C-alpha cells in the first residue's frame, strides 16, 4: 500500500467494512463474572437470532459454558439485568441463570443439563428473575411479575427460591421476602448473612432521580426484619450498594448528594462519609438491574470505575488515594470480582469491546476474550489484533485500520451552556477527499435520553467514516457522565434542549470548516429517534436526511403504550400529565410533522414493547409521500434494539442509500474493496 493517498469524493471511498461486517463485527459482550478461576461472560450471537451464550476462556480457546441452545438473558424491566451467578468459588458447584425464552430460573452443574428452579408462569415470560445472591440453600433475587407480554403492568418482589428444585413444581416453595417499592434491585447479603440491602424507587421517579437505600436484618427463620432507609431520598439517587468484605459491617454506596455519583461509606447508624469526593462519576444511570461500578476487594480496597465523559479503572485505598491502572481503555463495563481480581468488558478509541482481567497485585490487564475481525472468538494462540503485524487479510489492512481516530470537543450553545461531543472524522488508509470539498457529516443522537455513548472503536461508525462520511456523536443536555446538573438540563425540555444541542454541534463543525453545511444528516434510535424527527421538523434548513430507529414520537399515547419501567419517565422529561398537556403538545415531534420536508428512513422492530410500532405509524400517517421521500422497514421478531445481524445489516444499507441520494455522493460498489 502506497503512502500517497488517492483522491476520491467524500462518501465514495471503497471500504472493506460492509454492512454485514458492521452488523457482526462488534461482539456484544456483557455480564462478566467468575466461575471458579474462569472468567465468564454473556455474548450475543447475532447469527443465532440474538441468543445470549454464556462463554468462558479455556486453554483450547473460547467455548460455551452451558450445553447448546441455552439463552442466558432476563427481561426484567425490559432492559434486563444480571442474568447469572456462580454458586460458589468452586466451578464444580455450577451456577444459576435465567433462560431467555421462558424466563425461568435454572441451575446448571458441570456434566449435566440445566434444571428449572422456579415455577412456570401462567404464560412464558410472566415471571422474570435477575440479580442473584446465595443464602444458605436458597437463591435470593428480584422477581418481576408482568400481566402480559406488553409489560405495561408489573409487580416486583425480593424472593427466596430453593436450590433443590422443589419450587419448580410447587410455587408455594417460593418465599416472598420484601416489596418495599414498585421498583427494586436484587439483594446484597452482608458477609455472615446478618443483613441485606437493596435499592428501591417508585413512580414517577426514575432511578437516576430519586432512590432509597434499604437495609433489613435477616432473622433466624430466614425472613426479613422491618426495612429501614439508610441513604437516598428526594433529589438523591443511590445507584449501587455493596458490603465490605472484611466483616466490619461497612456498607458502600454510590450516590449523588453533592451532584456527582461518588463512593460513600455508610455505618450501622446510618452515618455517611464520602471516600473520594470529586466532580466525577463513579457510577451510571441504573438502566439495567445489577450493574456495578464499585467492587469491594478482600484486602479492604475498592475497585472503582470513574471519570467525566469516560471511565477508568482504579483502586481506591482506605486512605482515599485513587490509583488508576496503566491501561489505555477509556470505558469499563459489567465489572465483577472474585475478591482479588477484576474482570470487565473494556474498550477505547483504539480497541473494540474486549473481556479483560485486571490484577491489582501487579497492575496487569490481560486479555481474556479478544475482539476478532469477524466478531467471533480467537483461538488462544491467535495474535492479539491490537499487536503490530496482526492483520488477518493478505492484501488489505485489517478492518480496524479503517477506523478513524475520534476526539472530544465541547461547543457552546446560544445560551452559553456546554455541549459535549465525540467527533469521528472521515478516515481511510488509502483515500482522501478533494482539497476543494468538505465531507458530509452525520449527527448522532444517542438513546436514553438519560444515557450516554462511548468514545470507542465502533464498527458501525467505521462503516460510515471509512467511506468518507464523518460522524459527530452528541452528548446533549440530559446525558449522563457529566454530573446531575448536566443531566437535569433536559428536565421538562425534551424535544428542545436535545434538538438545540444537536444543532449546536453541527454548526460548530461547520464554523470550524470541518463539515459541508449542505450535507448534514441526523440519525438516532429510541429517544434518539425522537430527537432526529424533532430536529428535521425544527431545523429543515440544516439537515438533509434522517435515519430514525424504533422511535418514541407521540408522548401522550406513549405513556399508555410503553412498558411499566418508563411509563412515568415523561413526568421528568416533559412534565406531569395532564398538568403539562400544553408542553406535551408543543414538544412532541409530531406537532410539526406536516412541515417535514427532509427525506428519511424509518426502521422498526414489530415486537418492540418499549417504543411500539404504533409510534412510528403515527408519524407516517402525517407524512405526504409525494412531498417527503421516505422508506419504512419493519422487522418481525425484533424488539427494542436490533439483535439479529441480518436486521442490522439491512438497516445500514438502507441508511447509506438514503445518505447517498440526499447528500449527493455515489457509494463505491461493494466488490470494489473486497477482502482476500
Amino acid at each position: 500500500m502506497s503512502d500517497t493517498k488517492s483522491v476520491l469524493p467524500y462518501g465514495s471511498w471503497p471500504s472493506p467494512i460492509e454492512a454485514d461486517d458492521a452488523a457482526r463485527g462488534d461482539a456484544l459482550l456483557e455480564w462478566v463474572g467468575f466461575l471458579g478461576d474462569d472468567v465468564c461472560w454473556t455474548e450475543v450471537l447475532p447469527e443465532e437470532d440474538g441468543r445470549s451464550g454464556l462463554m468462558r476462556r479455556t486453554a483450547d480457546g473460547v467455548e460455551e459454558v452451558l450445553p447448546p441452545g441455552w439463552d442466558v438473558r432476563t427481561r426484567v424491566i425490559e432492559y434486563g439485568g444480571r442474568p447469572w451467578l456462580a454458586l460458589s468459588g468452586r466451578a464444580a458447584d455450577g451456577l444459576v441463570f435465567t433462560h431467555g425464552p421462558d424466563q425461568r430460573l435454572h441451575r446448571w452443574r458441570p456434566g449435566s443439563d440445566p434444571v428449572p428452579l422456579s415455577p412456570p408462569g401462567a404464560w412464558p415470560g410472566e415471571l422474570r428473575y435477575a440479580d442473584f445472591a446465595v443464602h444458605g440453600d436458597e437463591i435470593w433475587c428480584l422477581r418481576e411479575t408482568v400481566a402480559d407480554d406488553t409489560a405495561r403492568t408489573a409487580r416486583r418482589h425480593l424472593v427466596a427460591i430453593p436450590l433443590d428444585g422443589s419450587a419448580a413444581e410447587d410455587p408455594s416453595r417460593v418465599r416472598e421476602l420484601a416489596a418495599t417499592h414498585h421498583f427494586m434491585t436484587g439483594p446484597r447479603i452482608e458477609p455472615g448473612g446478618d443483613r441485606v440491602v437493596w435499592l428501591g424507587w417508585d413512580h414517577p421517579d426514575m432511578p437516576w432521580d430519586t432512590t432509597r437505600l434499604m437495609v433489613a436484618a435477616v432473622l433466624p427463620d430466614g425472613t426479613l426484619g422491618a426495612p429501614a432507609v439508610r441513604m437516598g431520598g428526594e433529589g438523591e439517587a443511590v445507584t449501587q450498594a455493596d458490603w465490605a468484605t472484611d466483616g466490619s459491617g461497612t456498607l458502600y454506596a454510590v450516590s449523588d448528594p453533592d451532584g456527582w455519583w461518588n463512593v460513600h461509606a455508610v455505618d450501622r447508624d446510618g452515618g455517611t462519609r464520602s471516600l473520594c469526593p470529586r466532580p466525577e462519576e463513579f457510577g451510571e444511570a441504573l438502566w439495567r438491574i445489577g450493574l456495578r461500578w464499585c467492587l469491594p476487594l478482600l484486602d479492604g480496597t475498592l475497585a472503582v470505575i470513574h471519570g467525566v465523559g469516560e471511565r477508568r479503572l482504579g483502586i481506591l485505598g482506605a486512605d482515599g488515594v485513587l490509583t488508576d491502572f496503566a491501561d489505555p481503555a477509556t470505558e469499563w463495563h459489567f465489572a465483577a470480582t472474585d475478591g482479588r481480581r477484576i474482570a470487565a468488558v473494556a474498550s477505547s478509541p483504539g480497541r473494540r469491546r474486549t473481556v479483560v482481567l485486571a490484577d491489582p497485585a501487579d497492575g496487569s490487564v490481560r486479555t481474556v476474550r479478544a475482539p476478532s475481525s469477524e466478531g467471533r472468538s480467537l483461538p488462544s494462540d491467535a495474535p492479539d489484533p491490537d499487536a503490530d503485524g496482526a492483520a488477518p487479510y493478505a492484501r488489505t489492512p485489517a478492518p480496524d485500520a479503517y477506523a478513524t481516530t475520534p476526539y472530544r470537543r465541547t461547543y457552546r450553545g446560544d445560551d452559553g451552556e456546554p455541549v459535549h461531543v465525540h467527533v469521528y472524522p472521515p478516515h481511510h488508509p488509502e483515500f482522501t477527499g478533494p482539497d476543494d470539498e468538505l465531507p458530509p457529516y452525520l449527527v448522532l443522537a444517542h438513546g436514553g435520553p438519560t444515557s450516554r455513548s462511548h468514545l470507542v472503536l465502533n464498527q458501525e461508525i467505521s462503516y460510515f467514516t471509512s467511506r468518507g462520511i464523518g460522524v459527530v456523536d452528541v452528548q446533549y443536555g440530559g446525558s449522563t457522565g457529566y454530573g446531575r446538573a448536566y443531566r437535569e438540563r433536559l428536565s421538562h425540555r425534551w424535544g428542545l434542549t436535545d434538538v438545540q444541542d444537536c444543532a449546536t454541534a453541527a454548526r460548530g463543525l461547520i464554523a470550524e470548516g470541518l463539515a459541508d453545511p449542505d450535507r448534514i444528516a441526523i440519525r438516532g434510535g429510541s429517544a434518539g429517534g425522537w430527537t432526529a424527527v424533532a430536529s428535521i421538523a425544527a431545523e429543515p434548513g440544516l439537515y438533509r436526511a434522517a435515519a430514525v430507529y424504533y422511535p418514541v414520537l407521540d408522548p401522550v399515547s406513549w405513556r399508555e403504550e410503553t412498558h411499566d419501567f418508563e411509563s412515568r419517565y415523561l413526568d421528568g422529561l416533559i412534565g406531569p400529565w395532564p398538568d403539562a398537556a400544553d408542553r406535551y403538545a408543543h414538544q412532541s415531534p409530531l406537532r410539526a410533522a406536516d412541515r417535514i420536508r427532509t427525506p428519511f428512513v424509518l426502521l422498526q422492530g414489530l415486537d418492540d414493547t418499549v417504543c411500539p410500532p404504533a409510534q412510528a405509524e403515527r408519524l407516517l400517517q402525517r407524512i405526504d409521500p409525494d412531498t417527503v421521500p421516505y422508506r419504512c422497514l419493519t422487522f418481525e421478531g425484533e424488539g427494542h434494539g436490533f439483535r439479529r445481524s441480518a436486521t442490522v445489516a439491512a438497516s445500514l444499507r438502507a441508511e447509506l442509500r438514503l445518505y447517498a441520494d440526499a447528500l449527493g455522493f455515489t457509494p463505491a460498489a461493494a466488490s470494489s474493496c473486497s477482502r482476500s
Side-chain angles (χ1 to χ4, degrees), residues 46 49-50 550 604-609 613 634-648:
D49 289 335
Y550 34 84
Q604 178 71 49
L606 295 179
D607 293 348
D608 195 337
T609 59
T634 58
F635 302 96
E636 295 276 359
E638 289 284 13
H640 196 66
F642 298 153
R643 297 175 67 89
R644 297 172 178 171
S645 57
T647 303
V648 177

Side-chain angles (χ1 to χ4, degrees), residues 56-304:
R56 66 179 167 190
R57 181 67 174 267
T58 71
D60 297 324
V62 173
E63 66 178 22
E64 281 205 59
V65 175
L66 302 176
W70 290 92
D71 186 358
V72 182
R73 177 161 53 104
T74 176
R75 291 182 58 191
V76 161
I77 68 167
E78 294 305 298
Y79 291 106
R82 182 164 288 278
W84 73 277
L85 176 75
L87 290 175
S88 73
R90 302 188 316 124
D93 292 332
L95 55 89
V96 294
F97 69 96
T98 297
H99 179 48
D102 62 16
Q103 290 295 289
R104 295 175 74 182
L105 180 63
H106 289 72
R107 178 175 184 174
W108 171 80
R109 294 182 176 91
S112 64
D113 288 328
V115 296
L117 297 183
S118 66
W123 50 275
E126 179 202 18
L127 303 174
R128 306 167 175 185
Y129 303 88
D131 206 11
F132 310 107
V134 178
H135 186 266
D137 57 1
E138 294 178 318
I139 291 294
W140 289 17
C141 63
L142 174 68
R143 183 188 67 192
E144 180 179 71
T145 306
V146 297
D148 54 40
D149 59 7
T150 68
R152 292 172 195 160
T153 303
R155 295 175 291 114
R156 294 164 191 89
H157 296 82
L158 299 187
V159 298
I161 301 174
L163 274 166
D164 62 9
S166 57
E169 302 296 334
D170 182 2
S172 68
R173 294 280 292 159
V174 178
R175 297 192 301 117
E176 293 184 356
L177 299 170
T180 55
H181 295 78
H182 189 63
F183 298 97
M184 295 184 293
T185 65
R188 295 284 182 268
I189 303 171
E190 183 180 13
D194 292 337
R195 292 182 295 168
V196 63
V197 63
W198 64 92
L199 307 181
W201 67 97
D202 294 305
H203 284 315
D205 290 318
M206 298 299 285
W208 43 86
D209 298 324
T210 293
T211 63
R212 288 172 172 82
L213 176 62
M214 309 301 297
V215 178
V218 180
L219 304 179
D221 62 356
T223 61
L224 301 187
V229 178
R230 283 291 180 261
M231 196 173 186
E234 191 64 32
E236 179 182 349
V238 186
T239 197
Q240 185 205 332
D242 263 299
W243 298 99
T245 60
D246 60 4
S248 64
T250 300
L251 180 60
Y252 297 114
V254 180
S255 192
D256 66 346
D258 299 318
W260 295 86
W261 274 314
N262 280 189
V263 181
H264 298 76
V266 184
D267 62 30
R268 285 185 175 272
D269 298 325
T272 64
R273 58 187 175 90
S274 183
L275 300 183
C276 187
R278 293 186 179 193
E280 293 186 22
E281 302 282 38
F282 287 72
E284 299 275 4
L286 194 61
W287 279 99
R288 305 176 79 179
I289 302 299
L291 289 171
R292 302 172 75 194
W293 305 274
C294 172
L295 308 175
L297 304 180
L298 291 173
D299 64 0
T301 63
L302 298 171
V304 294

Side-chain angles (χ1 to χ4, degrees), residues 363-430:
S364 64
V365 178
R366 182 171 65 86
T367 295
V368 176
R369 195 285 196 201
S372 71
S373 58
E374 296 295 335
R376 300 187 181 93
S377 305
L378 292 172
S380 58
D381 58 350
D384 185 343
D386 293 334
D388 293 339
Y393 304 109
R395 290 190 292 276
T396 62
D400 289 357
Y402 290 83
T404 189
T405 301
Y407 59 91
R408 302 180 192 278
R409 186 78 167 84
T410 299
Y411 295 107
R412 293 279 173 178
D414 292 340
D415 56 4
E417 292 284 356
V419 180
H420 306 294
V421 305
H422 305 156
V423 182
Y424 293 80
H427 168 76
H428 194 295
E430 300 174 18

